[in-house]
PDB file of all heavy atoms in Angstrom:
ATOM      1  N   ILE A 125      -7.241  -6.115 -17.248  1.00 84.00           N
ATOM      2  CA  ILE A 125      -7.238  -6.910 -16.017  1.00 84.00           C
ATOM      3  C   ILE A 125      -8.674  -7.086 -15.523  1.00 84.00           C
ATOM      4  O   ILE A 125      -9.423  -6.119 -15.417  1.00 84.00           O
ATOM      5  CB  ILE A 125      -6.399  -6.215 -14.927  1.00 84.00           C
ATOM      6  CG1 ILE A 125      -4.934  -6.202 -15.317  1.00 84.00           C
ATOM      7  CG2 ILE A 125      -6.573  -6.873 -13.577  1.00 84.00           C
ATOM      8  CD1 ILE A 125      -4.272  -7.538 -15.273  1.00 84.00           C
ATOM      9  N   ASN A 126      -9.020  -8.337 -15.199  1.00 89.00           N
ATOM     10  CA  ASN A 126     -10.325  -8.626 -14.647  1.00 89.00           C
ATOM     11  C   ASN A 126     -10.207  -8.699 -13.125  1.00 89.00           C
ATOM     12  O   ASN A 126      -9.567  -9.603 -12.585  1.00 89.00           O
ATOM     13  CB  ASN A 126     -10.855  -9.950 -15.217  1.00 89.00           C
ATOM     14  CG  ASN A 126     -12.293 -10.209 -14.835  1.00 89.00           C
ATOM     15  OD1 ASN A 126     -12.873  -9.502 -14.023  1.00 89.00           O
ATOM     16  ND2 ASN A 126     -12.857 -11.234 -15.424  1.00 89.00           N
ATOM     17  N   GLU A 127     -10.818  -7.752 -12.434  1.00 92.00           N
ATOM     18  CA  GLU A 127     -10.707  -7.677 -10.981  1.00 92.00           C
ATOM     19  C   GLU A 127     -11.337  -8.883 -10.293  1.00 92.00           C
ATOM     20  O   GLU A 127     -10.852  -9.328  -9.258  1.00 92.00           O
ATOM     21  CB  GLU A 127     -11.377  -6.404 -10.469  1.00 92.00           C
ATOM     22  CG  GLU A 127     -10.655  -5.139 -10.844  1.00 92.00           C
ATOM     23  CD  GLU A 127     -11.387  -3.910 -10.372  1.00 92.00           C
ATOM     24  OE1 GLU A 127     -11.755  -3.854  -9.180  1.00 92.00           O
ATOM     25  OE2 GLU A 127     -11.599  -3.013 -11.190  1.00 92.00           O
ATOM     26  N   LYS A 128     -12.410  -9.402 -10.864  1.00 94.00           N
ATOM     27  CA  LYS A 128     -13.099 -10.524 -10.229  1.00 94.00           C
ATOM     28  C   LYS A 128     -12.229 -11.772 -10.189  1.00 94.00           C
ATOM     29  O   LYS A 128     -12.232 -12.503  -9.198  1.00 94.00           O
ATOM     30  CB  LYS A 128     -14.413 -10.818 -10.956  1.00 94.00           C
ATOM     31  CG  LYS A 128     -15.443  -9.740 -10.752  1.00 94.00           C
ATOM     32  CD  LYS A 128     -16.739 -10.071 -11.435  1.00 94.00           C
ATOM     33  CE  LYS A 128     -17.735  -8.939 -11.232  1.00 94.00           C
ATOM     34  NZ  LYS A 128     -19.019  -9.222 -11.882  1.00 94.00           N
ATOM     35  N   THR A 129     -11.462 -12.022 -11.235  1.00 94.00           N
ATOM     36  CA  THR A 129     -10.584 -13.197 -11.228  1.00 94.00           C
ATOM     37  C   THR A 129      -9.446 -13.017 -10.224  1.00 94.00           C
ATOM     38  O   THR A 129      -9.060 -13.971  -9.547  1.00 94.00           O
ATOM     39  CB  THR A 129     -10.008 -13.487 -12.624  1.00 94.00           C
ATOM     40  OG1 THR A 129      -9.295 -12.336 -13.089  1.00 94.00           O
ATOM     41  CG2 THR A 129     -11.104 -13.835 -13.601  1.00 94.00           C
ATOM     42  N   ILE A 130      -8.930 -11.796 -10.119  1.00 95.00           N
ATOM     43  CA  ILE A 130      -7.876 -11.534  -9.140  1.00 95.00           C
ATOM     44  C   ILE A 130      -8.414 -11.717  -7.731  1.00 95.00           C
ATOM     45  O   ILE A 130      -7.781 -12.341  -6.881  1.00 95.00           O
ATOM     46  CB  ILE A 130      -7.283 -10.124  -9.336  1.00 95.00           C
ATOM     47  CG1 ILE A 130      -6.527 -10.069 -10.658  1.00 95.00           C
ATOM     48  CG2 ILE A 130      -6.365  -9.749  -8.185  1.00 95.00           C
ATOM     49  CD1 ILE A 130      -6.041  -8.709 -11.040  1.00 95.00           C
ATOM     50  N   LEU A 131      -9.610 -11.179  -7.469  1.00 96.00           N
ATOM     51  CA  LEU A 131     -10.207 -11.316  -6.137  1.00 96.00           C
ATOM     52  C   LEU A 131     -10.501 -12.774  -5.800  1.00 96.00           C
ATOM     53  O   LEU A 131     -10.301 -13.204  -4.662  1.00 96.00           O
ATOM     54  CB  LEU A 131     -11.487 -10.481  -6.041  1.00 96.00           C
ATOM     55  CG  LEU A 131     -11.268  -8.974  -5.947  1.00 96.00           C
ATOM     56  CD1 LEU A 131     -12.600  -8.239  -6.027  1.00 96.00           C
ATOM     57  CD2 LEU A 131     -10.538  -8.610  -4.679  1.00 96.00           C
ATOM     58  N   SER A 132     -10.943 -13.539  -6.769  1.00 96.00           N
ATOM     59  CA  SER A 132     -11.214 -14.959  -6.492  1.00 96.00           C
ATOM     60  C   SER A 132      -9.922 -15.721  -6.207  1.00 96.00           C
ATOM     61  O   SER A 132      -9.888 -16.602  -5.341  1.00 96.00           O
ATOM     62  CB  SER A 132     -11.982 -15.596  -7.647  1.00 96.00           C
ATOM     63  OG  SER A 132     -11.175 -15.691  -8.790  1.00 96.00           O
ATOM     64  N   LYS A 133      -8.838 -15.375  -6.911  1.00 96.00           N
ATOM     65  CA  LYS A 133      -7.548 -16.013  -6.634  1.00 96.00           C
ATOM     66  C   LYS A 133      -7.016 -15.603  -5.263  1.00 96.00           C
ATOM     67  O   LYS A 133      -6.398 -16.405  -4.560  1.00 96.00           O
ATOM     68  CB  LYS A 133      -6.531 -15.658  -7.717  1.00 96.00           C
ATOM     69  CG  LYS A 133      -6.793 -16.357  -9.027  1.00 96.00           C
ATOM     70  CD  LYS A 133      -5.758 -15.979 -10.061  1.00 96.00           C
ATOM     71  CE  LYS A 133      -6.034 -16.652 -11.392  1.00 96.00           C
ATOM     72  NZ  LYS A 133      -5.023 -16.300 -12.415  1.00 96.00           N
ATOM     73  N   LEU A 134      -7.262 -14.349  -4.878  1.00 96.00           N
ATOM     74  CA  LEU A 134      -6.836 -13.896  -3.549  1.00 96.00           C
ATOM     75  C   LEU A 134      -7.627 -14.597  -2.454  1.00 96.00           C
ATOM     76  O   LEU A 134      -7.081 -14.923  -1.396  1.00 96.00           O
ATOM     77  CB  LEU A 134      -6.995 -12.380  -3.426  1.00 96.00           C
ATOM     78  CG  LEU A 134      -6.020 -11.515  -4.212  1.00 96.00           C
ATOM     79  CD1 LEU A 134      -6.379 -10.049  -4.084  1.00 96.00           C
ATOM     80  CD2 LEU A 134      -4.592 -11.751  -3.756  1.00 96.00           C
ATOM     81  N   GLN A 135      -8.912 -14.835  -2.698  1.00 95.00           N
ATOM     82  CA  GLN A 135      -9.737 -15.523  -1.702  1.00 95.00           C
ATOM     83  C   GLN A 135      -9.329 -16.983  -1.540  1.00 95.00           C
ATOM     84  O   GLN A 135      -9.602 -17.595  -0.503  1.00 95.00           O
ATOM     85  CB  GLN A 135     -11.216 -15.431  -2.081  1.00 95.00           C
ATOM     86  CG  GLN A 135     -11.789 -14.031  -2.040  1.00 95.00           C
ATOM     87  CD  GLN A 135     -11.739 -13.395  -0.661  1.00 95.00           C
ATOM     88  OE1 GLN A 135     -11.807 -14.076   0.352  1.00 95.00           O
ATOM     89  NE2 GLN A 135     -11.604 -12.082  -0.626  1.00 95.00           N
ATOM     90  N   ASP A 136      -8.675 -17.551  -2.546  1.00 95.00           N
ATOM     91  CA  ASP A 136      -8.210 -18.935  -2.464  1.00 95.00           C
ATOM     92  C   ASP A 136      -6.970 -19.087  -1.584  1.00 95.00           C
ATOM     93  O   ASP A 136      -6.632 -20.202  -1.189  1.00 95.00           O
ATOM     94  CB  ASP A 136      -7.910 -19.486  -3.860  1.00 95.00           C
ATOM     95  CG  ASP A 136      -9.174 -19.685  -4.679  1.00 95.00           C
ATOM     96  OD1 ASP A 136     -10.270 -19.763  -4.084  1.00 95.00           O
ATOM     97  OD2 ASP A 136      -9.065 -19.762  -5.923  1.00 95.00           O
ATOM     98  N   ILE A 137      -6.300 -17.990  -1.291  1.00 96.00           N
ATOM     99  CA  ILE A 137      -5.114 -18.037  -0.426  1.00 96.00           C
ATOM    100  C   ILE A 137      -5.598 -18.087   1.030  1.00 96.00           C
ATOM    101  O   ILE A 137      -6.245 -17.148   1.503  1.00 96.00           O
ATOM    102  CB  ILE A 137      -4.200 -16.819  -0.661  1.00 96.00           C
ATOM    103  CG1 ILE A 137      -3.752 -16.765  -2.129  1.00 96.00           C
ATOM    104  CG2 ILE A 137      -2.997 -16.872   0.266  1.00 96.00           C
ATOM    105  CD1 ILE A 137      -2.991 -15.514  -2.498  1.00 96.00           C
ATOM    106  N   PRO A 138      -5.326 -19.163   1.758  1.00 96.00           N
ATOM    107  CA  PRO A 138      -5.881 -19.296   3.113  1.00 96.00           C
ATOM    108  C   PRO A 138      -5.348 -18.269   4.117  1.00 96.00           C
ATOM    109  O   PRO A 138      -6.022 -17.959   5.094  1.00 96.00           O
ATOM    110  CB  PRO A 138      -5.492 -20.712   3.531  1.00 96.00           C
ATOM    111  CG  PRO A 138      -4.523 -21.199   2.541  1.00 96.00           C
ATOM    112  CD  PRO A 138      -4.585 -20.332   1.336  1.00 96.00           C
ATOM    113  N   GLN A 139      -4.165 -17.702   3.883  1.00 96.00           N
ATOM    114  CA  GLN A 139      -3.593 -16.743   4.824  1.00 96.00           C
ATOM    115  C   GLN A 139      -4.189 -15.341   4.678  1.00 96.00           C
ATOM    116  O   GLN A 139      -3.938 -14.476   5.502  1.00 96.00           O
ATOM    117  CB  GLN A 139      -2.073 -16.660   4.649  1.00 96.00           C
ATOM    118  CG  GLN A 139      -1.342 -17.907   5.070  1.00 96.00           C
ATOM    119  CD  GLN A 139      -1.235 -18.940   3.963  1.00 96.00           C
ATOM    120  OE1 GLN A 139      -1.866 -18.838   2.925  1.00 96.00           O
ATOM    121  NE2 GLN A 139      -0.435 -19.976   4.194  1.00 96.00           N
ATOM    122  N   ILE A 140      -4.945 -15.102   3.609  1.00 97.00           N
ATOM    123  CA  ILE A 140      -5.597 -13.809   3.419  1.00 97.00           C
ATOM    124  C   ILE A 140      -6.989 -13.886   4.023  1.00 97.00           C
ATOM    125  O   ILE A 140      -7.787 -14.753   3.661  1.00 97.00           O
ATOM    126  CB  ILE A 140      -5.655 -13.424   1.925  1.00 97.00           C
ATOM    127  CG1 ILE A 140      -4.234 -13.151   1.423  1.00 97.00           C
ATOM    128  CG2 ILE A 140      -6.545 -12.218   1.708  1.00 97.00           C
ATOM    129  CD1 ILE A 140      -4.157 -12.777  -0.039  1.00 97.00           C
ATOM    130  N   ILE A 141      -7.273 -12.976   4.938  1.00 96.00           N
ATOM    131  CA  ILE A 141      -8.568 -12.970   5.619  1.00 96.00           C
ATOM    132  C   ILE A 141      -9.664 -12.540   4.640  1.00 96.00           C
ATOM    133  O   ILE A 141     -10.656 -13.221   4.473  1.00 96.00           O
ATOM    134  CB  ILE A 141      -8.526 -12.042   6.847  1.00 96.00           C
ATOM    135  CG1 ILE A 141      -7.472 -12.545   7.833  1.00 96.00           C
ATOM    136  CG2 ILE A 141      -9.887 -11.948   7.504  1.00 96.00           C
ATOM    137  CD1 ILE A 141      -7.109 -11.562   8.917  1.00 96.00           C
ATOM    138  N   THR A 142      -9.473 -11.399   4.006  1.00 96.00           N
ATOM    139  CA  THR A 142     -10.411 -10.919   3.001  1.00 96.00           C
ATOM    140  C   THR A 142      -9.710  -9.934   2.076  1.00 96.00           C
ATOM    141  O   THR A 142      -8.656  -9.396   2.405  1.00 96.00           O
ATOM    142  CB  THR A 142     -11.653 -10.255   3.644  1.00 96.00           C
ATOM    143  OG1 THR A 142     -12.616  -9.976   2.628  1.00 96.00           O
ATOM    144  CG2 THR A 142     -11.301  -8.970   4.346  1.00 96.00           C
ATOM    145  N   SER A 143     -10.324  -9.708   0.921  1.00 97.00           N
ATOM    146  CA  SER A 143      -9.813  -8.718  -0.030  1.00 97.00           C
ATOM    147  C   SER A 143     -10.995  -8.172  -0.815  1.00 97.00           C
ATOM    148  O   SER A 143     -11.971  -8.876  -1.055  1.00 97.00           O
ATOM    149  CB  SER A 143      -8.781  -9.341  -0.972  1.00 97.00           C
ATOM    150  OG  SER A 143      -9.355 -10.399  -1.696  1.00 97.00           O
ATOM    151  N   TYR A 144     -10.890  -6.908  -1.192  1.00 97.00           N
ATOM    152  CA  TYR A 144     -11.967  -6.246  -1.919  1.00 97.00           C
ATOM    153  C   TYR A 144     -11.396  -5.048  -2.667  1.00 97.00           C
ATOM    154  O   TYR A 144     -10.303  -4.563  -2.352  1.00 97.00           O
ATOM    155  CB  TYR A 144     -13.095  -5.807  -0.973  1.00 97.00           C
ATOM    156  CG  TYR A 144     -12.628  -5.036   0.228  1.00 97.00           C
ATOM    157  CD1 TYR A 144     -12.495  -3.655   0.198  1.00 97.00           C
ATOM    158  CD2 TYR A 144     -12.305  -5.702   1.408  1.00 97.00           C
ATOM    159  CE1 TYR A 144     -12.042  -2.956   1.296  1.00 97.00           C
ATOM    160  CE2 TYR A 144     -11.861  -5.009   2.516  1.00 97.00           C
ATOM    161  CZ  TYR A 144     -11.742  -3.638   2.456  1.00 97.00           C
ATOM    162  OH  TYR A 144     -11.295  -2.941   3.543  1.00 97.00           O
ATOM    163  N   THR A 145     -12.141  -4.588  -3.661  1.00 96.00           N
ATOM    164  CA  THR A 145     -11.692  -3.431  -4.446  1.00 96.00           C
ATOM    165  C   THR A 145     -12.037  -2.143  -3.713  1.00 96.00           C
ATOM    166  O   THR A 145     -13.025  -2.064  -2.976  1.00 96.00           O
ATOM    167  CB  THR A 145     -12.337  -3.423  -5.839  1.00 96.00           C
ATOM    168  OG1 THR A 145     -13.749  -3.387  -5.694  1.00 96.00           O
ATOM    169  CG2 THR A 145     -11.929  -4.620  -6.637  1.00 96.00           C
ATOM    170  N   VAL A 146     -11.204  -1.147  -3.951  1.00 95.00           N
ATOM    171  CA  VAL A 146     -11.389   0.175  -3.366  1.00 95.00           C
ATOM    172  C   VAL A 146     -11.410   1.184  -4.505  1.00 95.00           C
ATOM    173  O   VAL A 146     -10.589   1.096  -5.422  1.00 95.00           O
ATOM    174  CB  VAL A 146     -10.235   0.504  -2.385  1.00 95.00           C
ATOM    175  CG1 VAL A 146     -10.333   1.914  -1.871  1.00 95.00           C
ATOM    176  CG2 VAL A 146     -10.207  -0.484  -1.240  1.00 95.00           C
ATOM    177  N   ASP A 147     -12.342   2.108  -4.446  1.00 92.00           N
ATOM    178  CA  ASP A 147     -12.419   3.161  -5.453  1.00 92.00           C
ATOM    179  C   ASP A 147     -11.396   4.237  -5.108  1.00 92.00           C
ATOM    180  O   ASP A 147     -11.543   4.922  -4.089  1.00 92.00           O
ATOM    181  CB  ASP A 147     -13.816   3.748  -5.506  1.00 92.00           C
ATOM    182  CG  ASP A 147     -13.990   4.740  -6.642  1.00 92.00           C
ATOM    183  OD1 ASP A 147     -13.070   4.865  -7.481  1.00 92.00           O
ATOM    184  OD2 ASP A 147     -15.048   5.388  -6.707  1.00 92.00           O
ATOM    185  N   PRO A 148     -10.352   4.422  -5.923  1.00 90.00           N
ATOM    186  CA  PRO A 148      -9.316   5.410  -5.598  1.00 90.00           C
ATOM    187  C   PRO A 148      -9.835   6.850  -5.575  1.00 90.00           C
ATOM    188  O   PRO A 148      -9.260   7.703  -4.913  1.00 90.00           O
ATOM    189  CB  PRO A 148      -8.283   5.243  -6.707  1.00 90.00           C
ATOM    190  CG  PRO A 148      -8.604   3.987  -7.397  1.00 90.00           C
ATOM    191  CD  PRO A 148     -10.030   3.674  -7.127  1.00 90.00           C
TER     192      PRO A 148
END
Side-chain angles (χ1 to χ4, degrees):
I125 293 290
N126 188 351
E127 291 177 50
K128 290 182 181 180
T129 58
I130 292 173
L131 287 173
S132 69
K133 287 180 181 180
L134 289 175
Q135 294 298 330
D136 290 340
I137 301 173
Q139 292 87 349
I140 292 179
I141 299 167
T142 188
S143 60
Y144 50 89
T145 59
V146 175
D147 186 8

